[in-house]
Amino acid sequence: MKNKTSFLPQEGEARPSRCPDNSAFKQQRLPAWKPQLNIVTVLSSFFLTGAFCLTVGVCLILSANSVREIQIDYSDKCSACSKLRENSSNWNKECHCSVNFTLKEDILGDVFMYYGLQNFYQNHRRYVISRSDAQLLGRNVNIQKSYCAPFTTYRNGTPMAPCGAIANSMFNDTIDLFYNRNSSVIQVPLLKTGNSWWTDKNVKFRNPVSYNLSSAFAGTARPPYWQKPVYLLDEEDERNNGYVNDDFIIWMRVSAFATFRNLYRRVRHIRQFADGLPAGNYTFRISYNFPVSKFKGKKHVILSTVVWSGGSNPFLGIAYVVSGAAATLTGFVIIAIHLKLRKKKTYFQK
């Protein structure tokens, strides 16, 4: 066995150097730019940032205020249907109600119809994960291993399609809009396709491969709260059926807040509605299916236009204005501190 002293460098031997290589990179001799902060550059950055944020914020607020929007609460106006839906045994009984309203001015341009829910919490962790993305892609998977429980299978073992709490609670009111012109009643043409995101429609949701949808979903059953199976969501348009139904896709994108709205329909620009919705008397005819009284919720129908910045939401504009005001105020505070310190320095020099 060697002596411990044999590992130490002997006299005359060169010690291993720990110094970095003599290169421009390792010796930090590369050219670099170091900003020289002075009062001019600091104040310029604050005031320019403040002016930019204030300008953008004011533009966003003015844009949001130019949106034409009308919101109607129909959860109380359809109280008879609401009481009927409180009893789950009445799920197969139809209930209809009507809500009249008046547009005092024309709503020109693209008009969007939304349904809004209040006090409906979609951000609960168990609710958010209660879905099977593999099933929604049309794959043949064992949903028992997913997070869909307890909405996976029935007692007889029949799997649910689609499974999970999100799909089971899908908004299923049917809302039609009618224009009362003189003594005639004209149904406003509404578009129910093209409302979801392209990535959702073409990437995240697909139907099982089969020669028809009914055979593709053979051996499955609808969720408990649904009134019809998934392959009959849109009996008029085969391309808007099953997992690729626009209403279903939009509902599956959960909201972060308890009060939210989802796009339901778009007004089709034909005949009397080529330019939008003319002023006059209108009626919402609603097939009431979605109960909200148990969780003290509210339901709304919203007719709205959009602008380049989006819908009627001034939050982003207000955030820009507050940020711009804060940056500008900070600039004035820095000026005051600079003048005070310079005055004090001048006094001591004297």
Side-chain angles (χ1 to χ4, degrees):
M1 181 176 179
K2 291 185 179 181
N3 191 358
K4 293 182 179 180
T5 58
S6 62
F7 293 99
L8 298 176
Q10 302 299 323
E11 293 183 3
E13 294 183 4
R15 291 177 177 268
S17 176
R18 294 184 178 182
C19 296
D21 295 337
N22 188 19
S23 63
F25 177 76
K26 292 187 177 182
Q27 294 296 334
Q28 299 184 10
R29 295 196 300 267
L30 291 175
W33 176 76
K34 183 179 179 180
Q36 298 294 329
L37 297 179
N38 52 44
I39 188 62
V40 176
T41 57
V42 171
L43 289 178
S44 300
S45 61
F46 274 100
F47 283 122
L48 287 176
T49 302
F52 173 77
C53 291
L54 287 173
T55 303
V56 174
V58 170
C59 292
L60 289 174
I61 292 175
L62 294 176
S63 176
N65 291 335
S66 66
V67 173
R68 294 290 311 281
E69 180 176 301
I70 179 172
Q71 178 173 308
I72 297 174
D73 184 343
Y74 71 93
S75 50
D76 294 332
K77 295 181 179 180
C78 299
S79 57
C81 292
S82 179
K83 292 180 180 179
L84 179 69
R85 291 292 175 235
E86 288 181 2
N87 189 350
S88 59
S89 62
N90 297 325
W91 67 270
N92 58 344
K93 296 181 180 179
E94 294 186 359
C95 189
H96 302 271
C97 59
S98 299
V99 180
N100 299 318
F101 66 98
T102 302
L103 289 181
K104 297 181 180 180
E105 298 179 356
D106 296 345
I107 300 182
L108 303 178
D110 295 330
V111 184
F112 299 84
M113 180 190 294
Y114 302 83
Y115 63 83
L117 289 177
Q118 182 178 341
N119 207 34
F120 189 92
Y121 289 85
Q122 287 190 312
N123 54 6
H124 192 281
R125 184 182 65 87
R126 291 287 302 276
Y127 182 88
V128 171
I129 65 175
S130 184
R131 58 188 292 167
S132 173
D133 292 322
Q135 184 194 44
L136 297 177
L137 281 171
R139 299 172 184 172
N140 186 13
V141 294
N142 182 11
I143 58 176
Q144 292 284 7
K145 298 180 180 179
S146 66
Y147 294 102
C148 289
F151 302 101
T152 52
T153 60
Y154 288 92
R155 292 182 179 179
N156 59 0
T158 304
M160 298 180 189
C163 70
I166 306 176
N168 183 59
S169 61
M170 177 181 168
F171 183 86
N172 57 350
D173 282 359
T174 302
I175 306 172
D176 294 316
L177 180 60
F178 292 87
Y179 176 44
N180 305 315
R181 183 180 181 183
N182 299 327
S183 59
S184 60
V185 179
I186 304 171
Q187 184 171 3
V188 179
L190 301 174
L191 296 171
K192 54 185 175 182
T193 57
N195 300 325
S196 60
W197 292 11
W198 184 92
T199 51
D200 289 348
K201 186 83 171 183
N202 297 275
V203 178
K204 296 183 180 180
F205 293 83
R206 295 176 186 172
N207 286 323
V209 178
S210 183
Y211 62 92
N212 60 40
L213 278 181
S214 59
S215 62
F217 290 98
T220 63
R222 58 175 176 80
Y225 290 173
W226 285 27
Q227 295 177 322
K228 50 187 176 182
V230 65
Y231 55 87
L232 293 179
L233 288 178
D234 189 350
E235 302 180 23
E236 299 176 358
D237 189 354
E238 184 75 15
R239 296 170 299 177
N240 189 40
N241 225 331
Y243 294 150
V244 296
N245 177 265
D246 273 42
D247 293 338
F248 173 70
I249 292 175
I250 292 173
W251 177 260
M252 293 300 291
R253 184 175 288 276
V254 297
S255 173
F257 302 99
T259 299
F260 61 93
R261 63 175 64 178
N262 284 336
L263 181 58
Y264 183 67
R265 297 289 185 266
R266 291 176 295 127
V267 175
R268 186 179 179 186
H269 293 284
I270 57 173
R271 300 191 299 272
Q272 299 96 333
F273 313 101
D275 299 323
L277 293 178
N281 298 320
Y282 289 84
T283 301
F284 282 123
R285 292 184 184 176
I286 302 164
S287 177
Y288 199 105
N289 300 309
F290 193 86
V292 295
S293 57
K294 289 186 177 181
F295 56 87
K296 299 179 181 180
K298 297 287 186 180
K299 293 193 290 187
H300 311 275
V301 185
I302 303 104
L303 293 175
S304 175
T305 59
V306 294
V307 291
W308 62 270
S309 60
S312 178
N313 188 356
F315 173 78
L316 186 60
I318 294 174
Y320 267 101
V321 169
V322 171
S323 301
T328 305
L329 180 61
T330 304
F332 283 112
V333 171
I334 293 175
I335 290 178
I337 294 174
H338 175 70
L339 293 176
K340 184 177 180 180
L341 293 177
R342 189 174 66 172
K343 183 178 180 181
K344 184 181 296 186
K345 183 178 179 181
T346 304
Y347 174 78
F348 281 114
Q349 286 177 348
K350 290 182 179 180

